[in-house]
Amino acid sequence: MKVKGKNGIGSLLKILLWIGMIIGGMALLFLCPMFYWLDIKFDWFLLMIYPCGVCFLIFMYQFIGLFQMLEINSPFCKKTISYLNKSMWFSYIISGLIFVALIFMICGYSYTLAVKCCILFIGVLFFGVGIALFILKELFREAIDYKEENDLTI
């Protein structure tokens, strides 16, 4: 399967991300009523779901932009660096919010050790994604610089 172009895998992933964003947005809208209907106590940990969810939706939107660059056959442009940079920062923000939620879980709420370990893993995972996006951003910056230099020599 092709990676770039209208019929490439980037187009398919872009559609899947849009569907995920719509479902995620709807889930965030109905989260509080759902907790009320299920009689779940709303605490600080659950309050952290909202900013994490909004940041994750923005994170997904940045990846939609990246896949758009693949779709139009222009992955090596300044916009790609911008999308990677924004994704990196939102990944760090999500990681920070998850660690704050973990602190609240440890200090005051009685969640099981398994839940706390899963939350810790997710926080470390998003921090690692942020580092990987930083490295990828710098690699794309170098590739774009080489491409521009090469374009000027021709």
Side-chain angles (χ1 to χ4, degrees), residues 43 45-46 49 98-99 101-106 109-124:
D43 58 19
F45 170 67
L46 297 175
I49 291 174
I98 288 172
F99 287 133
L102 183 63
I103 290 169
F104 280 120
M105 287 174 73
I106 291 170
Y109 299 103
S110 58
Y111 290 96
T112 64
L113 182 61
V115 172
K116 292 174 185 175
C117 289
C118 288
I119 297 297
L120 176 65
F121 174 75
I122 293 170
V124 171

Side-chain angles (χ1 to χ4, degrees), residues 13-25:
L13 290 173
K14 187 176 82 166
I15 292 168
L16 290 175
L17 282 174
W18 272 115
I19 292 170
M21 277 189 64
I22 291 169
I23 292 171

Side-chain angles (χ1 to χ4, degrees), residues 43-55:
D43 58 19
W44 280 101
F45 170 67
L46 297 175
L47 182 66
M48 297 306 286
I49 291 174
Y50 279 102
C52 280
V54 170
C55 287

Side-chain angles (χ1 to χ4, degrees), residues 78-95:
K78 299 282 184 188
K79 261 187 162 175
T80 302
I81 294 174
S82 174
Y83 288 132
L84 288 170
N85 192 43
K86 289 175 189 171
S87 297
M88 174 193 72
W89 284 111
F90 278 105
S91 181
Y92 288 145
I93 291 169
I94 292 168
S95 178

